[in-house]
Amino acid sequence: MTNITLILGDITDQTVDAVVNAANSSLLGGGGVDGAIHRRGGSDILDECRALRASHYGGGLPAGQAVATTAGRLPARWVIHTVGPVFSANEDRSATLASCYRESLRVADELGVRTVAFPAVSTGVYRWPLTDAARIALDAVRAADTSVTEARFVLFDQPAYDAFETALRGD
Ligand code: APR
């Protein structure tokens, strides 16, 4: 059974086995979580991302999928990069957002990881409404068949924290 915890803070501060990155399909960095992880983790992460692009992911990492690299100088051991869907008001992309969490846990299990820190994927630049994103995220983690013992959602601001806390209580 995976214990779900919530924390208000910076995902790059988390001492867990794996930190999940809200990446884009290029895997070559960006802003938000992606920018923070690359800035704090250092160039080893980008080097491995480039190697992934040169090998398995020539066309980029598709939305909903996940892949692991070193965490470089972060206090974590691994970064699991996942690409969230961009929110769309006229196309339901919920399954893709749920897949980000499910696939990140699958990769975590392949690595033998026990503690994972998740950001609120797609709720920043990709504009997914927090309440809905929190419900999808928690449902996906609860439904996953995984050996991960702690799924720690690291929320960067109070509105995000409140949205996840409300969803966790099942209001
Ligand atoms: N730690 C934890 N959460 C953070 C951090 C951080 N250091 N920085 C930002 N966040 C929060 C945001 O406030 C938001 O709630 O993470 C959530 C996801 O926001 P983004 O990082 O913008 O990710 P996303 O919405 O999935 O958009 C991905 O943005 O940064 C680019 O390269 C990235 O193109 C990709 C896109």
Side-chain angles (χ1 to χ4, degrees):
M1 185 60 190
T2 305
N3 181 34
I4 294 176
T5 60
L6 308 180
I7 185 172
L8 184 62
D10 186 324
I11 201 163
T12 63
D13 290 335
Q14 304 307 311
T15 303
V16 289
D17 296 330
V19 165
V20 172
N21 181 22
N24 59 58
S25 60
S26 79
L27 288 177
L28 301 179
V33 171
D34 203 4
I37 285 175
H38 282 282
R39 202 168 35 251
R40 174 102 181 253
S43 59
D44 289 353
I45 301 175
L46 190 57
D47 291 348
E48 289 196 14
C49 287
R50 286 205 177 101
L52 288 165
R53 285 297 311 276
S55 54
H56 302 75
Y57 298 99
L61 182 68
Q65 293 190 25
V67 69
T69 66
T70 178
R73 294 198 303 269
L74 292 181
R77 171 69 188 83
W78 304 96
V79 173
I80 296 174
H81 305 264
T82 192
V83 179
V86 176
F87 178 72
S88 163
N90 49 41
E91 180 191 343
D92 181 3
R93 297 173 178 171
S94 307
T96 304
L97 183 56
S99 174
C100 289
Y101 294 95
R102 189 171 54 252
E103 284 301 299
S104 294
L105 289 170
R106 185 186 57 73
V107 170
D109 285 335
E110 282 175 359
L111 298 170
V113 150
R114 288 289 174 272
T115 58
V116 179
F118 286 102
V121 176
S122 288
T123 64
V125 168
Y126 287 174
R127 295 181 299 100
W128 205 289
L130 277 167
T131 304
D132 193 43
R135 175 185 58 79
I136 292 167
L138 295 174
D139 285 353
V141 171
R142 284 178 177 136
D145 175 17
T146 173
S147 305
V148 166
T149 56
E150 181 191 2
R152 183 185 306 174
F153 283 90
V154 185
L155 291 325
F156 205 46
D157 55 40
Q158 197 61 49
Y161 185 91
D162 294 346
F164 272 75
E165 191 178 45
T166 302
L168 194 58
R169 280 202 313 261
D171 289 11

